[in-house]
Structures are given as structure tokens and as C-alpha cells.
Amino acid sequence: MILTVDIGNSHTVFGVYGEDGLRFSSRVKTDPLRTETEYAVLLSRLLDFHRCSAGSIEGAAVSSVVPALTPILRAAIGLLGPIRVLTVGPGVKTGLDIRIDNPGELASDLVCTAVGAMERYPLPAVIIDLGTATKITVVDRNRRYIGGAIAPGVTVSLGALTRTASLLPAVALDAKIRPICGDTAGAVMSGVVLGTASMLDGMIDRFAEEIGKPDTIVACGGMAPTIIPHCRHAVILDETLPLFGLVSIYRKNC
């Protein structure tokens, strides 16, 4: 089995793939203060909880946008046993033709979602990742990553708004949402959730003006289940897309 680890700024997602596909995935808060031993204990407990043996893990693939945590997670995996660990970065085979100004600056999470979309869906594809940042990227029909757009994430925008505007309350993104609201909390919900969904719809239209109508629009990330149902475009919600990209990259290299 293959362990996949997607280290994000807010959350880290672990997954295990067997020959029959994804066995499980678990999302935990990213904690830069944890040691490799603490992460190893966490991983061991997750594996036990999902009835997977650490001894059955033959390899691991790691994607990270938190450089300080990369060696810690690699060391934690090493504590589980003699596991070959692949870290996504320059020099790793992906099958993706990266056509941006500086390919070396492309973050590994964007590589993984692009590879996941390329391997799983028809191209061209617009890929939306709703995490700490909202990222919208494109893989064209020739399997080329041609770039995209990055905006503040939903929780980042909401947190900045409520911290800066003294009279606005902190709200949870779980209430019923209407466009026109008569209360402050509802108005914030409408602006943040429906505003983000409308931004995505508008950006998809603008992307289509440049690449033509995409065959696939797919979304992942922690906020995707909250935002995507309010989009007017048909967007596939695929929360395991980064992990699928990770295991695909591992198999290309190992």
C-alpha cells in the first residue's frame, strides 16, 4: 500500500492507497510544533483506526507547501518502518508539461491537483482548490499546465473582514445562505460564500474565453463542499484529487 501526505498551511491530509484504490483519507490540522515522533504516533493511530498495518505500507508520497514540516513528516514516516518516501518537487517525473514562466516556482500542491485531474478527467480541465488560498488553474488538452489565478481563501477573507471591521461578528459558514439578508451575520455569509461562488463562475467564464469551453471543471480543498454547491457552472467535487495526484506521481517514479 502507498501512503500519501498532503501538507497544507491549514490542514494536512493523509491517505492510503491499495491495489483497489483509496482505502481511507483523514484530515488533521497542520501543526508546525509537532515533532516527528508525535506525527509518527498520529500516523500509527490513524492506520490502526482504519485497520491498516504500518507494515503493509511499502512507499509514501509527500506534497508540502510548508517547507519546515517536510523533513519532519519524512522522518515520522521513517519511524513507521523501512518505507521509501518520494517528495514532490523539481526533478520528479509527473507526466505534466509545465508551461509557466518559472516552472521551478510551481508549488507541489498545484502539481498534484493538476496531475490528478489529468489522470482522472477529460482535458482541458479547470481545477479549483479551495484551501487557505483559492487557486484556479488549467491543464490544456495537450497535458500542459499553463497557469492560473490565486485569490485569498474563504477563511482568510472572512477572518480578515471580522478582525478589521469592529462591528462585524464572527460567523460560522454553516447557516442557510440567501443573497439578500436582513441581519449582519447573514449578510457576511452571503458576501463570503455566494461572493466566492460568483467569483469562481466569473473566472471560469474568463478562462473559457482563452482556452475554449473546458471538458472538466473540478474542485477540491477544505472549503469546496461549502462553496461549490452555490456555483452555477457544473463543477465536480473531488475531495481526494490531490491524493490521487500524489499516488499517480509515486507510481510514475517508483
Side-chain angles (χ1 to χ4, degrees):
M1 293 191 292
I2 308 301
L3 171 68
T4 54
V5 184
D6 179 23
I7 307 169
N9 289 294
S10 301
H11 293 91
T12 296
V13 184
F14 300 98
V16 169
Y17 279 84
E19 292 182 0
D20 55 348
L22 182 66
R23 296 285 299 276
F24 77 85
S25 65
S26 294
R27 179 185 297 269
V28 302
K29 286 185 178 179
T30 297
D31 186 353
L33 299 180
R34 278 194 179 122
T35 66
E36 60 268 29
T37 303
E38 289 172 314
Y39 270 111
V41 170
L42 172 62
L43 266 171
S44 181
R45 288 177 176 173
L46 285 174
L47 291 169
D48 288 343
F49 180 77
H50 292 282
R51 299 178 181 177
C52 291
S53 166
S56 64
I57 304 297
E58 61 189 76
V62 177
S63 166
S64 176
V65 296
V66 187
L69 269 181
T70 307
I72 293 173
L73 262 297
R74 286 181 59 95
I77 296 168
L79 292 176
L80 299 180
I83 299 170
R84 180 177 184 178
V85 182
L86 173 75
T87 302
V88 177
V92 171
K93 289 184 282 187
T94 63
L96 188 66
D97 185 5
I98 301 173
R99 295 293 187 93
I100 60 174
D101 296 342
N102 182 4
E105 73 179 12
L106 184 61
S108 62
D109 59 336
L110 298 182
V111 173
C112 291
T113 54
V115 171
M118 179 178 74
E119 298 292 346
R120 184 172 271 178
Y121 299 105
L123 300 176
V126 172
I127 307 148
I128 301 165
D129 186 349
L130 288 153
T132 305
T134 295
K135 293 155 282 190
I136 315 163
T137 56
V138 173
V139 177
D140 70 13
R141 66 180 68 257
N142 297 314
R143 301 167 71 91
R144 298 180 301 185
Y145 179 94
I146 60 173
I150 301 175
V154 177
T155 54
V156 171
S157 297
L158 180 60
L161 178 65
T162 54
R163 284 194 306 271
T164 306
S166 301
L167 295 179
L168 292 180
V171 298
L173 298 175
D174 56 2
K176 186 176 180 180
I177 301 170
R178 295 181 293 110
I180 303 174
C181 298
D183 64 291
T184 302
V188 172
M189 288 280 291
S190 175
V192 172
V193 176
L194 298 184
T196 301
S198 299
M199 181 269 288
L200 292 176
D201 283 327
M203 291 299 288
I204 291 166
D205 288 338
R206 289 174 182 266
F207 278 30
E209 291 173 1
E210 294 196 27
I211 65 168
K213 183 179 179 181
D215 285 357
T216 299
I217 307 171
V218 60
C220 60
M223 291 307 302
T226 301
I227 303 299
I228 295 307
H230 300 283
C231 290
R232 292 181 172 173
H233 283 86
V235 182
I236 301 166
L237 181 60
D238 187 344
E239 297 180 70
T240 66
L241 188 67
L243 300 185
F244 183 74
L246 265 172
V247 75
S248 299
I249 292 170
Y250 180 89
R251 287 169 176 162
K252 291 177 189 297
N253 288 271
C254 304

